[in-house]
Amino acid sequence: MIRPLLRRLALAASLAAVSTVALSTVAVAAGPLSYDLTPTRVGPDTYVFVGSTEHFTRANGGNILNAGFIVTSDGVIVIQTGPSRRYGEEMRAAIRRVTDKPIRKVFISNLHPDYFLGAQAFADVPIAALPGTIAGIQEEGHGIADNMYRLVGDWMRGTEVVIPTEPVFGSTVVFGDHRLRLIPLNGHTAADLALLDETTGILFTGGVVFCDRTPTTPHADVAAWLKELDALDALDDVRLVVPNHGHIRPDKACVGQTRDWLIWLDGTLRAAVEAGLDMTDALELPIPDRFAGLDVLRAEYRRSVAHLWPKIERESLPRVH
Amino acid sequence: MTGLWTNGAIAARGAVVGLALSAGAALAAPPDPANPPDPLGSVMWEALRDQYFAGAPVQFDDRVKVRAPLDAEDTRAVPIAVDATALDQVVEVAAIADLNPFPLVLRYHPMGAAPYIATRIKIQQATAVHGAARTADGVWHVSGVMVDAAGGGCSAPPLSYATKDWADHVGEVQARVWRTDEGKAARLRLRIRHPNDTGLVPGIPAYFVESLSVRARLDGGVSGPELARIDSLEPVSEDPVFLLDLRPPPGTTALILRGRDNQGGEISATVPLPALIPAPDLSRSVGQ
């Protein structure tokens, strides 16, 4: 089928056409991977690529994050870049279909893979992050990228770590007709950047809020995280909360949901260590029914046991001589 | 959803091993009932069995429980437990991470203790983790689980080397005892500050806790019987943690821990036995 077609095209002496057809044929044969990114308009000038609430899998290619963008009169502000080069490139193409304004700046909220590994697609614009995030990506970025190759495979092809180019701090910055408040937080990781668009009241929570999706804790300091949730609860004029993972809501219910989970998780593990339970038994402890609506519940709980248990043990076991 | 992926990977791996086994079976002699194949299909099993069990009879036995996560979140510290309490007269327990560069994790001698030990280990790559219990008749009872892993746990340098004062704290012990079974049993959790270095990082020699012994101290400070001994090896995680269920004799006032690392460093601590306090009920979830 292909050969006669190629021959005909070659006879037509159109080398460009030959290479185009050949390339697309190869792509079909290999099974093209696509995130099929479609931005959802969530408010004035504001769009979100809603990710799944699963873990990273070879089916979803790591598309589990709510990345977004704001189309200001001074260009486009991109918030998170997704888990891979492919995601970043598809994201940029999808933004282009919404507006032909240039990308003005990219913000990356923390060092987790789904936030920063799409940054190659934005290498020509400033990529801003908190200093702690930049340091974390410098230190752990390659290990994090390696693990993503293992988890989602071919989706990662060509993905390389790009270190954010611009450190940012707590401040309010104006891009055209939008005022963005940069809110430095920590607890989910050592540096989590939340962004509140004061013009629209839309809060991008960075890493600290999960909505109907079990929170992740590989870099967590639970006590610090709980304080930051209180700080987000105290913010006025928030009309829409875009959590890093899970459902977008017009209220702060998921700030409370994240807090509820963290308090239960931390308290349960502390009680289990205190009671002399073994860590492998702690992996199977019952989880209250009220959390049944959180996706990847048991799997993420078990990961949290691995993250939190050794530290609790270290802090609580008495020194003996 | 990691779980789904993990299961798929293990299933796929199992299928490949299964094919290899059946292809081998077609050429080789019929299955040897004295040396049954590993139900997990670990490619290293036969070599490890011969190396560590030295011709002793081996049978796969689900009464030995090995507990470990399906997926190693932190390959430097993967929790495992080997529980052979369903067997009588266990004289030795062993744990093996088949595909580690040093597969044997530990040997445990529960002279005055339940045949149960929990610890955390380094895992270099996805592997079967086998637990084995030798009963007084000389038979090794074996079972195991698969643990998936990103890799690197054994050849990564210890985190403690990043702190300036790590050497000042080597051998420090943290420990606590819980009285269980109406005071007849004592659960001991202990943690030892130690790099527990495998020696796989170039230029850093192996440096790990090699032996630990727990002895009862009786009324009047008299030394009592040795309750348990651990021959601990390279795969045990940095700052080793162990959980043991001891059966100290009546009149025991404290547990005496003595140990040594492979460079001659001494480990020594006395853990007082607390008054009998009923343990909280963990069958109900906290905060529910």
Side-chain angles (χ1 to χ4, degrees):
Chain A
M1 288 297 289
I2 295 165
R3 278 172 183 274
L5 176 63
L6 286 178
R7 204 173 297 129
R8 246 178 291 136
L9 287 165
L11 285 171
S14 169
L15 283 173
V18 170
S19 53
T20 307
V21 171
L23 275 177
S24 61
T25 306
V26 167
V28 169
L33 296 173
S34 170
Y35 292 101
D36 290 327
L37 293 182
T38 308
T40 303
R41 187 176 176 278
V42 297
D45 310 328
T46 310
Y47 300 81
V48 174
F49 298 98
V50 178
S52 102
T53 53
E54 302 172 329
H55 205 312
F56 301 122
T57 68
R58 290 182 183 228
N60 65 35
N63 177 12
I64 64 167
L65 184 80
N66 294 330
F69 62 98
I70 304 166
V71 182
T72 78
S73 59
D74 187 36
V76 180
I77 303 303
V78 174
I79 301 167
Q80 328 305 358
T81 63
S84 65
R85 174 183 188 152
R86 180 185 295 276
Y87 185 103
E89 287 171 350
E90 287 191 30
M91 187 179 174
R92 190 155 188 178
I95 294 170
R96 188 71 178 163
R97 288 193 289 273
V98 171
T99 177
D100 56 8
K101 288 189 175 133
I103 310 282
R104 184 62 62 211
K105 187 165 288 197
V106 174
F107 287 100
I108 286 174
S109 282
N110 67 56
L111 55 55
H112 285 172
D114 38 345
Y115 293 74
F116 79 90
L117 282 173
Q120 270 164 296
F122 301 96
D124 57 328
V125 292
I127 301 174
L130 293 170
T133 300
I134 297 174
I137 291 172
Q138 279 170 333
E139 190 175 327
E140 294 188 50
H142 292 287
I144 287 169
D146 286 350
N147 198 36
M148 283 300 287
Y149 273 87
R150 165 184 165 263
L151 288 170
V152 308
D154 199 37
W155 294 90
M156 299 301 295
R157 187 181 296 192
T159 302
E160 286 169 18
V161 173
V162 172
I163 309 291
T165 51
E166 184 182 305
V168 290
F169 305 86
S171 55
T172 301
V173 285
V174 175
F175 294 98
D177 50 351
H178 285 257
R179 282 173 63 88
L180 294 188
R181 198 189 309 172
L182 311 184
I183 308 170
L185 304 172
N186 71 90
H188 167 251
T189 71
D192 295 288
L193 179 66
L195 292 100
L196 174 60
D197 185 339
E198 296 181 354
T199 309
T200 60
I202 296 174
L203 174 67
F204 287 86
T205 66
V208 299
V209 177
F210 292 70
C211 196
D212 304 327
R213 201 279 183 199
T214 316
T216 60
T217 56
H219 295 88
D221 173 339
V222 173
W225 191 343
L226 289 171
K227 276 188 206 153
E228 304 294 22
L229 291 174
D230 291 344
L232 289 186
D233 250 347
L235 287 177
D236 290 330
D237 304 323
V238 174
R239 285 183 222 131
L240 193 72
V241 174
V242 181
N244 43 316
H245 303 280
H247 299 130
I248 298 165
R249 291 181 60 111
D251 56 34
K252 291 181 183 164
C254 284
V255 177
Q257 187 188 70
T258 303
R259 179 191 292 116
D260 188 20
W261 170 257
L262 291 175
I263 290 173
W264 175 80
L265 174 68
D266 188 58
T268 298
L269 297 185
R270 284 178 190 282
V273 169
E274 180 64 24
L277 203 70
D278 174 52
M279 188 171 167
T280 62
D281 292 327
L283 295 171
E284 308 306 329
L285 283 175
I287 299 173
D289 291 343
R290 69 179 187 277
F291 298 120
L294 306 192
D295 278 342
V296 289
L297 181 62
R298 178 61 65 177
E300 205 60 74
Y301 164 76
R302 288 189 182 129
R303 292 183 71 213
S304 288
V305 174
H307 305 145
L308 303 177
W309 182 279
K311 183 162 180 270
I312 295 172
E313 211 171 56
R314 182 176 75 229
E315 290 170 354
S316 66
L317 268 182
R319 176 81 203 282
V320 293
H321 298 277
Chain B
M1 292 297 122
T2 308
L4 282 179
W5 180 81
T6 303
N7 290 340
I10 288 172
R13 202 177 299 130
V16 170
V17 172
L19 278 175
L21 278 177
S22 50
L27 298 170
D32 176 2
N35 288 307
D38 177 23
L40 295 175
S42 168
V43 293
M44 286 299 290
W45 174 249
E46 291 190 8
L48 296 173
R49 177 196 63 206
D50 293 346
Q51 185 178 353
Y52 298 130
F53 303 137
V58 170
Q59 62 187 58
F60 288 93
D61 188 336
D62 287 340
R63 287 175 294 175
V64 177
K65 304 287 180 206
V66 179
R67 287 193 283 277
L70 267 181
D71 201 356
E73 177 64 18
D74 178 359
T75 55
R76 299 162 187 258
V78 181
I80 65 161
V82 182
D83 179 352
T85 52
L87 293 172
D88 291 328
Q89 295 194 300
V90 173
V91 293
E92 183 178 357
V93 174
I96 299 166
D98 290 27
L99 297 188
N100 266 4
F102 310 93
L104 186 61
V105 174
L106 57 80
R107 288 177 183 270
Y108 181 51
H109 311 273
M111 293 84 91
Y116 164 85
I117 184 166
T119 186
R120 291 202 279 275
I121 68 170
K122 289 162 266 191
I123 282 188
Q124 182 69 13
Q125 58 181 315
T127 180
V129 174
H130 283 105
R134 179 167 59 90
T135 41
D137 58 5
V139 176
W140 281 99
H141 303 257
V142 181
S143 74
V145 293
M146 291 298 303
V147 177
D148 194 20
C154 288
S155 50
L159 297 173
S160 60
Y161 290 162
T163 60
K164 285 198 175 84
D165 62 343
W166 69 268
D168 299 339
H169 298 281
V170 169
E172 285 180 4
V173 179
Q174 292 171 274
R176 184 170 165 190
V177 176
W178 288 261
R179 303 287 293 275
T180 53
D181 194 12
E182 297 169 340
K184 294 196 285 289
R187 170 162 282 200
L188 171 65
R189 187 184 341 258
L190 62 93
R191 177 177 186 273
I192 300 164
R193 287 277 294 269
H194 204 288
N196 242 46
D197 198 303
T198 55
L200 289 176
V201 178
I204 303 177
Y207 184 34
F208 58 92
V209 174
E210 210 170 38
S211 69
L212 289 167
S213 164
V214 183
R215 187 173 286 279
R217 172 182 283 171
L218 306 177
D219 275 334
V222 181
S223 179
E226 187 178 33
L227 301 174
R229 195 172 75 244
I230 307 168
D231 305 326
S232 179
L233 290 155
E234 292 94 332
V236 174
S237 69
E238 179 176 15
D239 296 332
V241 173
F242 297 100
L243 192 70
L244 312 175
D245 281 339
L246 305 164
R247 294 249 161 205
T252 301
T253 58
L255 301 173
I256 307 296
L257 177 72
R258 293 280 182 272
R260 185 173 46 73
D261 66 35
N262 69 324
Q263 296 186 19
E266 301 275 335
I267 294 151
S268 173
T270 303
V271 192
L273 242 60
L276 189 57
I277 304 167
D281 179 10
L282 277 166
S283 60
R284 288 189 67 249
S285 171
V286 177
Q288 199 160 25

